[in-house]
Amino acid sequence: MSGAEVTKSNSQLIQKAMISRNYDRITSGECKVSSTFVPGNLNELLMCFDIANNLPEINAIQNAMRKKSGDMIQEAERSGHSEDVCTYVKADIGMMAKGNIAPNGKPFRDPDMLLLSYSGCFTFMKWFELLREQYKCPTVMLHVPYAADGQPTQNMRDYIVKQLKDEVIPTMEKVSGIKFDIDRLREYLRKSAQAENNLVWMLEQSKRRPSPIDCYFGGVYYMGPIFTAFRGTDEAIQYYDLLRLEIEERIAKGLCAQTLDGDMPEEKYRLVVEGPPNWTSFREFWQMFAEAGAVVVASSYTKVGGVYDYDGFRHDPDHPLESLADYCLGVYTNRNLPTRVDMLARNLKEYDADGLLINSIKSCNSFSAGQLVMLREIEKLTGKPGAFIETDLVDPRYFSAANVKNRLESYFQMIDQKRRAGGFITGNAAASA
Amino acid sequence: MSHRSVHDLVAFCQAIFDDLDFTRAREWKAAQPGRGVIGYMPVYVPREIIHAAGMLALGILGGGSDLEVIHGDAYYQSYICRIPRSTLELAVTGRLDFVDGMMFPSTCDVIRNMSGIWKLMFKDKYVRYFDVPQNFKDEVGGVFYENELRELKEGLERISGRKITDEQLNHSIAIYNENRAWVNKVYDYRSAFPWKAPSAEVYLLMRAGMVLPPEEHTLLMQEYIAAAEAENRPMRDNCRVVLTGGFCEQPPLPLIKSLEISGCYIVDDDFMLVNRWIQGDVETTGDPLRNLSRAFLHHSGQTAAKYEPDMDVKGKYLLDIIRKRSADGVIFSAASFCDPALLDQPMMISRVEAKGIPYITLQYAENSGQMQPIREQSGTFADSIKLWSGV
Ligand code: SF4
Ligand code: SF4
């Protein structure tokens, strides 16, 4: 989620320090460590047991940004992993094979447990079965049913709460030797909600013209603390307070979104983006937008760890376990396609965007299967043109800069044309890059 | 029972297999007013409940090798298996217009998202994503699952317009128990006499069971075993292999034939798991939903679509089958881009390797055309097994 070199604001510097502190904690050997996943992660619960939170997806991203993931993926493929599957998994397995060195340069210790909360993606399930082969540590499964009818049901909630009580909490007690204290959890959840309020405030500032922030490339940084090891901490509250001040300052100055090379001089296109970014060429990818004057005013990726702005979810200290259940059920990819369509269509309208761009990830079916249908539906609902590109997460073999650039250029032309015509341009720009 | 020859029976099944308009299912529906059809995708749905609702459970396993996908490509990105594409093609070309509802089992992210595509594109149809628990404790996953089964039952009651009683459910459970028993008999028979029941035939026989009502399918299997037994077919010097990984998108029929031509008898496989998923009989007295739930939790097969809580048990299912079928080797055959099969494969391979069991891996798509490389690969595999076993 974080790690690219950009023009750094104070909040970014603080976040960088937070992340490296977490890596130091994970590698220190001074506390128990659990690996778990970003979407629907149970950070507050892990904190109740003083267990450090290691997120393999984040490690894969960090390695991709440092241009190390390509070798790792090939290493995994050499050892028998298929070319076709999620490249996060292979980057993780390849990292183990290459000495399991954390981004702070120190070796990862073997995790004390694997917390398999598989919100929104089946790959997680297999990923942790694969890691379990290596680490042979307790692996606790939290099965999060798919909210296929748009809304979580009471049966789903009850099932998750029961798993928390019967499986997850007892395992954490055993691993950590610490007894569960629900009041401690409540306190963390209270803090989560406080930071979450500012997160949502931040997301909504891009409704302004010009938008003071970029909610995709920049959003990756803004969402870092809340979606990783810091939700529920004072540090996260301080981070989002500071971020809010910074954004308020930008608004007061009438600045356009900040990019890698400073503030965008002019905002020419406002886009909504669906799908994760490409990490191996993150800088190059962002530059293509920045150079065209395109700002992303909303993205689904900023909801990948949890959705806070669509139906007002906040962690609720008065219903701690139920609230964790709702959180897991509500992550973006755990919501059905009609809900995702509704969410994006609303974003297009409310954020007054010119169109929807889908970055379809080669190896992520959780996000990608069905995106072309979503594109059509959203075009129909909003009358705004969409475009479709294909890249990968952390496999450099699947980022074709020239193709992506061409596709984006023709998309921007299409938007210009629509503006001139003052009406809807039919035919999306669906094509592979 | 009639006395059709193997040839006639296989021709009958082949015709069902080739018919992408599902004429038999249409005829079944049209034969009586008030009948309904529920389509489902692989791997597992409780067909007993659909049956008890007086409806036909229609297995939809993609479009196969002959379906030209014209529209499907406009809905799916390039790097994805083919079954969602061809299934959608079947739907947008009107071939599923008689189907009253669709069930999407919780197999993988592709099928999961497909339930949403159906909701977006076929708004007047009943769509149910069917979740199964990945927690196998009665009081945790069991309670969740029973409630899911209840919701399914109520949903089907709504579209069929009639209540489903426990008696009806128990009756349907008994019918599927019998069907499953005969499916297992066919599998046992093939394993005992693979030259008498070639896999391509067994495959077609099972595919017919995706379209026919279970009662009719059971009779068909009985007829087939009797007919195969009466047939005088020569035994070949093939090696015995278990095929695994093809539980969702199905391989093209020529692939199955090619494996046997090249010298491999397939003595077990995981195609169409729905008809073998539950092992043994489901209780037919007491609370039927609870019984279905218990059977799933405690007596269902292991697949890549299921979580295995115990690392030491992981892969045991496959090893047991290899032993039970006296197989000489394993062919890991997965559809290209099939996440669950391909992610599971390295773990399965490590178990098989540890026992010194020979294996190969191959990938296919339901429309793979070129069989020559596969024939060569499996032929070499068969030869090498024969060579080793001769040492
Ligand atoms: S498949 Fe997609 S959601 Fe799942 S782990 Fe990979 S990138 Fe994440
Ligand atoms: S073939 Fe595999 S990836 Fe494709 S839908 Fe079936 S289970 Fe999912």
Side-chain angles (χ1 to χ4, degrees):
Chain A
M1 226 143 286
S2 305
E5 292 307 314
V6 284
T7 317
K8 297 244 168 8
S9 61
N10 274 341
S11 63
Q12 282 167 341
L13 293 171
I14 287 178
Q15 183 177 165
K16 202 170 175 202
M18 285 161 80
I19 289 169
S20 56
R21 265 203 308 282
N22 192 47
Y23 275 118
D24 288 343
R25 187 160 176 245
I26 290 169
T27 52
S28 69
E30 283 159 13
C31 63
K32 302 283 181 186
V33 175
S34 171
S35 289
T36 192
F37 295 108
V38 172
N41 76 66
L42 301 176
N43 194 53
E44 300 89 342
L45 201 57
L46 287 164
M47 283 163 56
C48 290
F49 300 94
D50 296 336
I51 299 174
N53 185 346
N54 179 32
L55 297 147
E57 297 142 294
I58 303 294
N59 301 337
I61 294 170
Q62 295 273 352
N63 285 326
M65 286 180 149
R66 293 173 164 81
K67 310 275 180 217
K68 289 179 173 170
S69 55
D71 284 349
M72 290 171 174
I73 288 165
Q74 286 185 31
E75 179 76 35
E77 286 175 3
R78 270 195 296 277
S79 69
H81 291 270
S82 165
E83 253 195 57
D84 293 351
V85 300
C86 171
T87 48
Y88 276 167
V89 180
K90 286 182 286 182
D92 192 28
I93 286 171
M95 179 182 77
M96 288 196 302
K98 284 180 165 292
N100 224 6
I101 303 299
N104 63 356
K106 296 178 190 150
F108 276 113
R109 293 169 50 249
D110 286 2
D112 299 282
M113 66 177 283
L114 301 170
L115 173 56
L116 169 47
S117 62
Y118 91 95
S119 262
C121 161
F122 273 80
T123 296
F124 290 153
M125 192 162 91
K126 295 290 121 184
W127 190 346
F128 270 16
E129 280 191 354
L130 283 160
L131 289 196
R132 185 178 64 181
E133 305 266 303
Q134 171 81 16
Y135 295 126
K136 300 186 174 55
C137 62
T139 306
V140 60
M141 149 68 98
L142 176 69
H143 173 205
V144 178
Y146 182 52
D149 288 332
Q151 287 301 319
T153 63
Q154 195 56 42
N155 188 37
M156 296 174 180
R157 258 186 214 114
D158 293 346
Y159 176 44
I160 298 178
V161 169
K162 226 184 270 179
Q163 290 178 84
L164 289 172
K165 286 184 180 161
D166 264 54
E167 310 273 350
V168 180
I169 292 173
T171 310
M172 288 181 172
E173 284 183 327
K174 215 151 104 199
V175 166
S176 66
I178 293 172
K179 214 165 153 32
F180 177 55
D181 172 0
I182 198 155
D183 291 326
R184 196 171 163 190
L185 178 64
R186 287 182 207 278
E187 187 50 32
Y188 293 142
L189 294 177
R190 193 165 292 121
K191 292 181 184 178
S192 298
Q194 207 179 325
E196 286 157 2
N197 283 336
N198 269 340
L199 176 88
V200 173
W201 177 88
M202 176 278 289
L203 289 173
E204 289 179 343
Q205 295 319 300
S206 50
K207 286 183 181 167
R208 298 172 184 273
R209 260 181 194 275
S211 172
I213 52 169
D214 181 284
C215 267
Y216 185 52
F217 298 105
V220 158
Y221 296 91
Y222 306 142
M223 71 198 223
I226 210 95
F227 286 167
T228 58
F230 303 97
R231 214 181 50 240
T233 65
D234 289 324
E235 283 168 294
I237 295 176
Q238 285 151 16
Y239 170 84
Y240 285 101
D241 281 345
L242 181 66
L243 181 64
R244 185 172 180 142
L245 285 176
E246 283 176 6
I247 295 173
E248 278 169 350
E249 223 175 280
R250 300 184 66 77
I251 296 168
K253 288 183 186 154
L255 292 174
C256 292
Q258 196 185 16
T259 73
L260 294 163
D261 307 311
D263 300 324
M264 245 168 52
E266 190 194 351
E267 176 183 291
K268 291 194 195 136
Y269 307 102
R270 294 166 67 85
L271 301 179
V272 172
V273 175
E274 147 79 5
N278 166 277
W279 299 108
T280 46
S281 303
F282 186 82
R283 193 184 171 93
E284 203 176 349
F285 194 24
W286 190 352
Q287 263 163 350
M288 290 180 198
F289 286 71
E291 278 163 14
V295 62
V296 182
V297 289
S299 74
S300 55
Y301 192 66
T302 40
K303 328 278 158 76
V304 69
V307 174
Y308 297 99
D309 61 339
Y310 181 64
D311 34 23
F313 171 82
R314 297 289 181 279
H315 281 93
D316 176 4
D318 294 331
H319 304 93
L321 298 183
E322 294 74 12
S323 153
L324 288 177
D326 280 346
Y327 168 64
C328 293
L329 283 160
V331 302
Y332 180 72
T333 46
N334 206 51
R335 296 191 180 226
N336 71 359
L337 260 50
T339 307
R340 282 168 60 179
V341 163
D342 184 53
M343 217 182 272
L344 291 167
R346 275 205 218 167
N347 280 168
L348 275 164
K349 289 179 191 156
E350 287 172 10
Y351 289 70
D352 198 14
D354 296 303
L356 172 75
L357 174 78
I358 293 183
N359 181 31
S360 186
I361 295 298
K362 171 195 171 272
S363 61
C364 175
N365 284 331
S366 177
F367 257 106
S368 308
Q371 279 173 329
L372 277 167
V373 178
M374 289 173 63
L375 184 72
R376 284 160 178 249
E377 287 292 317
I378 292 166
E379 281 188 338
K380 248 195 300 185
L381 284 171
T382 63
K384 295 186 174 179
F388 195 84
I389 54 173
E390 269 185 306
T391 73
D392 189 52
L393 297 160
V394 291
D395 189 339
R397 291 172 298 186
Y398 296 98
F399 185 83
S400 161
N403 283 350
V404 172
K405 203 163 185 345
N406 275 342
R407 176 62 40 204
L408 286 178
E409 276 167 8
S410 48
Y411 183 45
F412 295 136
Q413 277 169 21
M414 189 195 286
I415 293 173
D416 289 337
Q417 209 181 325
K418 176 185 151 59
R419 280 183 185 151
R420 280 196 299 274
F424 177 55
I425 305 291
T426 50
N428 64 57
S432 304
Chain B
M1 194 185 289
S2 66
H3 294 285
R4 287 183 282 184
S5 65
V6 165
H7 178 271
D8 290 349
L9 288 168
V10 172
F12 172 77
C13 296
Q14 178 89 47
I16 294 177
F17 175 81
D18 290 339
D19 176 17
L20 295 177
D21 288 310
F22 304 98
T23 310
R24 294 228 29 132
R26 286 174 191 269
E27 285 169 359
W28 181 89
K29 183 176 172 176
Q32 266 181 37
R35 280 184 168 178
V37 176
I38 300 291
Y40 62 90
M41 290 198 67
V43 173
Y44 172 75
V45 296
R47 296 180 295 175
E48 292 84 346
I49 302 179
I50 302 171
H51 186 268
M55 303 175 105
L56 179 73
L58 175 69
I60 296 167
L61 291 98
S65 51
D66 294 335
L67 182 75
E68 198 189 344
V69 172
I70 299 162
H71 305 89
D73 287 345
Y75 298 101
Y76 283 104
Q77 73 275 22
S78 9
Y79 298 103
I80 195 168
C81 54
R82 192 171 185 272
I83 184 167
R85 232 178 271 273
S86 67
T87 305
L88 200 56
E89 182 77 23
L90 290 174
V92 294
T93 52
R95 288 168 165 110
L96 300 177
D97 56 2
F98 71 107
V99 172
D100 303 284
M102 275 294 279
M103 286 179 67
F104 297 91
S106 68
T107 311
C108 69
D109 297 322
V110 173
I111 296 206
R112 192 196 63 182
N113 289 7
M114 211 171 164
S115 69
I117 291 186
W118 232 262
K119 277 181 189 270
L120 287 166
M121 292 180 59
F122 309 103
K123 293 197 168 71
D124 56 329
K125 298 279 175 155
Y126 171 80
V127 176
R128 175 137 189 113
Y129 173 76
F130 184 71
D131 222 336
V132 291
Q134 302 287 358
N135 172 297
F136 305 102
K137 284 187 184 162
D138 290 346
E139 66 281 12
V140 186
V143 171
F144 166 72
Y145 192 45
E146 271 177 55
N147 286 328
E148 290 293 300
L149 291 173
R150 194 158 299 119
E151 277 180 24
L152 170 65
K153 182 176 96 113
E154 287 163 4
L156 294 177
E157 284 173 341
R158 269 196 304 280
I159 50 171
S160 69
R162 62 183 234 199
K163 283 266 166 229
I164 303 173
T165 64
D166 280 3
E167 285 69 38
Q168 282 163 338
L169 269 169
N170 281 327
H171 172 68
S172 300
I173 289 173
I175 285 176
Y176 273 100
N177 277 345
E178 200 193 2
N179 183 261
R180 205 158 35 239
W182 278 94
V183 167
N184 289 331
K185 278 184 197 167
V186 171
Y187 269 78
D188 288 347
Y189 184 78
R190 174 182 66 172
S191 174
F193 310 104
W195 61 95
K196 289 190 181 186
S199 284
E201 286 183 4
V202 169
Y203 182 75
L204 287 171
L205 187 63
M206 295 304 162
R207 280 296 291 258
M210 301 290 109
V211 179
L212 298 173
E215 300 88 337
E216 213 180 308
H217 182 231
T218 300
L219 292 175
L220 187 69
M221 290 188 287
Q222 292 169 353
E223 212 183 336
Y224 174 79
I225 292 187
E229 192 53 31
E231 200 93 354
N232 191 13
R233 286 167 149 173
M235 185 175 151
R236 292 213 274 153
D237 180 27
N238 278 8
C239 68
R240 301 167 60 86
V241 300
V242 168
L243 211 71
T244 184
F247 47 80
C248 182
E249 179 174 323
Q250 303 288 296
L253 193 58
L255 188 146
I256 299 173
K257 288 182 179 161
S258 291
L259 293 178
E260 293 205 323
I261 293 167
S262 74
C264 299
Y265 280 136
I266 300 166
V267 291
D268 216 323
D269 62 63
D270 59 0
F271 307 138
M272 289 164 281
L273 273 182
V274 68
N275 62 19
R276 315 173 61 211
W277 177 267
I278 305 283
Q279 285 151 21
D281 284 348
V282 181
E283 290 267 352
T284 50
T285 52
D287 180 344
L289 298 184
R290 174 152 306 171
N291 291 338
L292 282 170
S293 161
R294 295 291 191 270
F296 176 83
L297 293 182
H298 307 303
H299 308 289
S300 58
Q302 248 184 5
T303 64
K306 238 172 97 178
Y307 178 62
E308 173 48 67
D310 184 349
M311 191 172 77
D312 295 331
V313 174
K314 182 88 194 164
K316 185 170 175 295
Y317 184 70
L318 178 61
L319 294 176
D320 284 349
I321 283 191
I322 296 168
R323 197 174 321 115
K324 179 175 161 203
R325 301 298 191 199
S326 308
D328 305 305
V330 185
I331 297 183
F332 290 96
S333 76
S336 295
F337 303 109
C338 178
D339 278 356
L342 293 168
L343 286 161
D344 217 42
Q345 197 166 283
M347 291 181 272
M348 293 297 115
I349 286 180
S350 71
R351 304 304 191 273
V352 164
E353 263 177 349
K355 299 264 178 211
I357 300 164
Y359 69 91
I360 51 168
T361 62
L362 55 89
Q363 257 171 260
Y364 62 82
E366 61 180 9
N367 63 337
S368 294
Q370 264 295 339
M371 287 305 138
Q372 190 54 26
I374 286 179
R375 249 200 310 270
E376 278 168 18
Q377 198 190 352
S378 57
T380 313
F381 181 56
D383 290 346
S384 68
I385 284 179
K386 282 177 215 159
L387 201 69
W388 292 332
S389 59
V391 178

